[in-house]
Amino acid sequence: KSKLKLYKAKLWSVIQEIKPDIVTSLLSHEIDFLSDLNDGSIKIGENHFNRNFRYSFVKNNSKNILRHTIAKYRDFELGHNVKKLDVLVTLTQEDASLWSDGVKKHIIPNPLSFVKEYKSEGNTKRVVAAGRLTKEKGFDLLLHAWELIFPLFPDWSLAIYGEGEEYSNLQSIIEGKKLKNVQINPFDENISEQFVNSDFYVLSSRFEGFGLVIIEAMECGLPVVSFDCKSGPKEIISDGEDGILVNNGDISALADAMTHLMKNSHIRSSMSKSAIEKAAKFNLDNIMGKWISLYKSTIQ
């Protein structure tokens, strides 16, 4: 509480100095007091995760009842404080629907972080996945799906790129299940090169805030197989056109969707073209244009 009090005082000092028209919060600790700062500025919040991320994170990573109780209370506080904002920006329509109707909502997705001049040719017989090696990213589920697949496709491989606390657990699954043609690699700063040298991408997350990696993979010409998790994938992927959506957590369905693409190069090729077209909608100019329009509309 003492740190929060100091934070509030210092932020107030900065606001008094620069006199902004708009103050945008990423719903971190300042959300507890932001709307109480009566400086005349418009207060906007941006939720960069899904609505239930904080509580879900604690629930999935701790069995401590006290932690669960605190997380639930903080989640309630977050919802209460967001109602005081002038505008709430979410990454998806699905996430917007999870917040109270007491606040004006605006949907602005993440932009592409790069543009790739050359794309995947879809002939490497390689499946790729990337992200933090944490429980919510569901790489354990992907490995269990690979267990069902690899005996049928001995000439295909699975490459996972990422680092995190789940590394040892994932390696144990690989060794315990005697999985072949699968490797966990350190995160590659130039991950787009790994994408263009693959045939399709798999997102096996238990939940997402948006799924930026989906549009990054699409930009590289990759169809995407994904769980229909909350929230993001179903608002990016057009099922059967530029990727395949399966029920969240359904390992058999994930394996079947991967098998379908591994068997059919013509489907991969068709989906690749559609994926590239889809990714273009998320280019930086388009997304920044949405932010500029929002800011202009709030101060008119």
Side-chain angles (χ1 to χ4, degrees), residues 26-78:
L26 297 184
L27 307 191
S28 188
H29 294 287
E30 70 279 348
I31 192 62
D32 289 350
F33 59 76
L34 188 64
S35 295
D36 298 329
L37 301 181
N38 297 315
D39 63 305
S41 65
I42 300 295
K43 305 300 192 301
I44 295 178
E46 182 197 1
N47 186 39
H48 209 67
F49 302 97
N50 66 56
R51 169 65 180 90
N52 300 313
F53 169 79
R54 292 168 179 82
Y55 179 59
S56 296
F57 180 84
V58 173
K59 191 167 76 170
N60 287 325
N61 289 279
S62 173
K63 295 181 180 179
N64 187 299
I65 300 301
L66 179 58
R67 284 180 178 269
H68 287 200
T69 302
I70 293 172
K72 199 165 188 177
Y73 174 71
R74 289 291 293 159
D75 188 68
F76 170 80
E77 275 193 321
L78 176 65

Side-chain angles (χ1 to χ4, degrees), residues 228-273:
D228 184 14
C229 63
K230 292 183 181 297
S231 35
K234 73 179 179 183
E235 293 184 37
I236 304 173
I237 299 169
S238 296
D239 188 32
E241 294 182 18
D242 46 41
I244 302 175
L245 285 169
V246 302
N247 289 336
N248 195 20
D250 191 332
I251 293 171
S252 294
L254 188 70
D256 288 345
M258 293 168 64
T259 298
H260 182 61
L261 290 188
M262 292 161 83
K263 282 182 176 179
N264 298 285
S265 60
H266 65 285
I267 293 177
R268 296 200 307 272
S269 178
S270 174
M271 285 188 174
S272 173
K273 294 174 183 176

Side-chain angles (χ1 to χ4, degrees), residues 104-122:
K104 182 180 179 182
K105 302 169 190 174
H106 208 84
I107 294 119
I108 303 179
N110 280 327
L112 264 171
S113 58
F114 60 80
V115 175
K116 201 68 176 173
E117 295 300 324
Y118 52 95
K119 316 294 183 182
S120 167
E121 295 182 1

Side-chain angles (χ1 to χ4, degrees), residues 112 215 218-220 274-283:
L112 264 171
I215 58 175
M218 287 181 168
E219 169 63 16
C220 295
S274 297
I276 294 168
E277 293 175 2
K278 176 66 67 64
K281 296 180 180 179
F282 297 90
N283 70 49

